[in-house]
Amino acid sequence: MKPISRISFAGQVGLVTGAAGGLGLAYSRLLAQRGAHVVMHDVGAGTDGRGQDPQRILRTAESLQAQGLSVQAASDPIDHRLGCQALVNDLLQQHGRIDFLIHNAGWVAYQALEAITDEALEQMLCLAAKTPLWLAQAAWPAMRNAGGGRIVITTSDRALYPQYAQRGLSAYAMGKLAALGLVNVLALEGAEHGIVVNAVSPVAKTRMWGIEGEPDELHPEAVAHGVAYLASQRCQHGGWALRASNGQFHALRLQEAEHVAYPRDLRAVSADSIESVALQWPAIARASVDVRS
């Protein structure tokens, strides 16, 4: 493999949400080690996504500051538009720039279909899809005026792959797939401004797994290298979902077949009746499997 120059974040300023532990902490630490000033945000919610404890992110930031890293803590709620705007505006007022935004905050809530309430659904969709939209809206003008920036939004294999779907995760999967749709559009809209937007689908043993302290495997640090790359100026391509787990990385995105003239000619199976669709279903519904070495 050809050697590559070291990626530096010196002089850059960015925001990481859900940064008090687990993946967000790993991202923040690595980015700060590479020279960035990182605003680490976490409301200090419980594993159910409720409650607030500002001391949690303060303690985490202080531990990194003691290591000589340039970080600061923030903890005000971001479950509404004004909170997201205030968080980004405070960052811009203090530092005058925002080079990267990584939305990592989230949680897992298992609820049977019949038990999902409007409140629970809204809570999940808000943090997974609305919050990254509001944060991107707040950061967009500054990134555009600066000639570029990087945005990374979290999705999940639990939403991307039917094989990994789990009972009780309807609301969670809805939010994470909505996040991917947001990435697709922001990647398109940001390209002309140098704003590169991607998703990450990480797997690590963290508090969401019920793990406190250092896990025995699937370490957050093994995911952080891929996310830091997406947040770096070296990353020039948007609209990807980076699957990251156990020190391994695989990027995916849906790609249309060649010579399709959407929507009039899908270069697909023709059928003129319900029975024709049924008869040809094996040819219509063919699974596409990646060939990876």
Side-chain angles (χ1 to χ4, degrees), residues 144-203:
R144 183 185 59 223
N145 293 339
R150 301 294 179 269
I151 298 176
V152 184
I153 298 173
T154 304
T155 184
S156 173
D157 283 6
R158 300 298 183 194
L160 298 177
Y161 286 90
Q163 298 97 313
Y164 304 138
Q166 284 192 335
R167 298 177 186 275
L169 289 186
S170 295
Y172 177 82
M174 285 175 64
K176 294 303 184 183
L177 204 53
L180 187 60
L182 174 62
V183 165
N184 288 338
V185 177
L186 294 188
L188 175 65
E189 294 185 0
E192 63 184 295
H193 306 297
I195 302 173
V196 181
V197 185
N198 286 291
V200 63
S201 179
V203 180

Side-chain angles (χ1 to χ4, degrees), residues 13 17 21 42 45 74 86 99-100 109 112 133 168 180 214 224 234 236 238 265:
V13 179
T17 67
D42 201 300
D99 298 280
F100 59 85
L133 170 64
L180 187 60
E214 188 67 19
R234 195 74 60 86
Q236 295 290 317
D265 182 7

Side-chain angles (χ1 to χ4, degrees), residues 96-165:
R97 61 189 296 164
I98 180 167
D99 298 280
F100 59 85
L101 160 62
I102 301 173
H103 181 57
N104 165 73
W107 72 93
V108 177
Y110 290 86
Q111 283 188 307
L113 177 62
E114 295 89 342
I116 298 173
T117 63
D118 287 347
E119 180 186 9
L121 178 60
E122 175 59 25
Q123 185 185 18
M124 189 64 70
L125 293 177
C126 181
L127 188 54
K130 292 184 180 181
T131 291
L133 170 64
W134 294 328
L135 290 172
Q137 282 182 319
W140 204 262
M143 288 186 173
R144 183 185 59 223
N145 293 339
R150 301 294 179 269
I151 298 176
V152 184
I153 298 173
T154 304
T155 184
S156 173
D157 283 6
R158 300 298 183 194
L160 298 177
Y161 286 90
Q163 298 97 313
Y164 304 138

Side-chain angles (χ1 to χ4, degrees), residues 81-102:
R81 183 187 298 275
L82 291 179
C84 292
Q85 290 176 336
L87 174 61
V88 174
N89 288 343
D90 286 348
L91 184 156
L92 290 170
Q93 287 175 5
Q94 292 182 52
H95 305 288
R97 61 189 296 164
I98 180 167
D99 298 280
F100 59 85
L101 160 62
I102 301 173

Side-chain angles (χ1 to χ4, degrees), residues 6-277:
R6 181 178 174 84
I7 293 177
S8 172
F9 288 83
Q12 295 189 34
V13 179
L15 170 66
V16 179
T17 67
L23 289 164
L25 171 56
Y27 303 161
S28 301
R29 181 190 295 115
L30 179 57
L31 291 162
Q33 288 172 341
R34 291 297 183 101
H37 177 79
V38 183
V39 176
M40 303 173 63
H41 178 273
D42 201 300
V43 298
T47 54
D48 61 354
R50 301 180 184 279
Q52 291 179 242
D53 180 9
Q55 292 302 313
R56 191 163 181 265
I57 189 62
L58 284 171
R59 290 191 297 268
T60 301
E62 288 171 356
S63 70
L64 295 188
Q65 291 166 353
Q67 300 171 31
L69 300 179
S70 182
V71 302
Q72 69 184 86
S75 60
D76 288 338
I78 53 172
D79 58 353
H80 55 281
R81 183 187 298 275
L82 291 179
C84 292
Q85 290 176 336
L87 174 61
V88 174
N89 288 343
D90 286 348
L91 184 156
L92 290 170
Q93 287 175 5
Q94 292 182 52
H95 305 288
R97 61 189 296 164
I98 180 167
D99 298 280
F100 59 85
L101 160 62
I102 301 173
H103 181 57
N104 165 73
W107 72 93
V108 177
Y110 290 86
Q111 283 188 307
L113 177 62
E114 295 89 342
I116 298 173
T117 63
D118 287 347
E119 180 186 9
L121 178 60
E122 175 59 25
Q123 185 185 18
M124 189 64 70
L125 293 177
C126 181
L127 188 54
K130 292 184 180 181
T131 291
L133 170 64
W134 294 328
L135 290 172
Q137 282 182 319
W140 204 262
M143 288 186 173
R144 183 185 59 223
N145 293 339
R150 301 294 179 269
I151 298 176
V152 184
I153 298 173
T154 304
T155 184
S156 173
D157 283 6
R158 300 298 183 194
L160 298 177
Y161 286 90
Q163 298 97 313
Y164 304 138
Q166 284 192 335
R167 298 177 186 275
L169 289 186
S170 295
Y172 177 82
M174 285 175 64
K176 294 303 184 183
L177 204 53
L180 187 60
L182 174 62
V183 165
N184 288 338
V185 177
L186 294 188
L188 175 65
E189 294 185 0
E192 63 184 295
H193 306 297
I195 302 173
V196 181
V197 185
N198 286 291
V200 63
S201 179
V203 180
K205 284 190 174 181
T206 65
R207 195 168 66 130
M208 289 175 63
W209 281 52
I211 303 294
E212 296 289 347
E214 188 67 19
D216 58 344
E217 60 166 349
L218 297 176
H219 298 271
E221 290 75 16
V223 170
H225 302 291
V227 175
Y229 168 73
L230 295 181
S232 76
Q233 294 179 4
R234 195 74 60 86
C235 179
Q236 295 290 317
H237 300 98
W240 289 89
L242 178 65
R243 301 178 65 210
S245 176
N246 206 30
Q248 299 179 31
F249 304 92
H250 166 236
L252 62 90
R253 65 179 174 186
L254 291 177
Q255 195 74 28
E256 182 62 278
E258 293 183 353
H259 310 302
V260 166
Y262 179 83
R264 292 174 178 80
D265 182 7
L266 300 182
R267 293 186 64 83
V269 177
S270 296
D272 58 4
S273 68
I274 302 172
E275 292 76 16
S276 181
V277 172

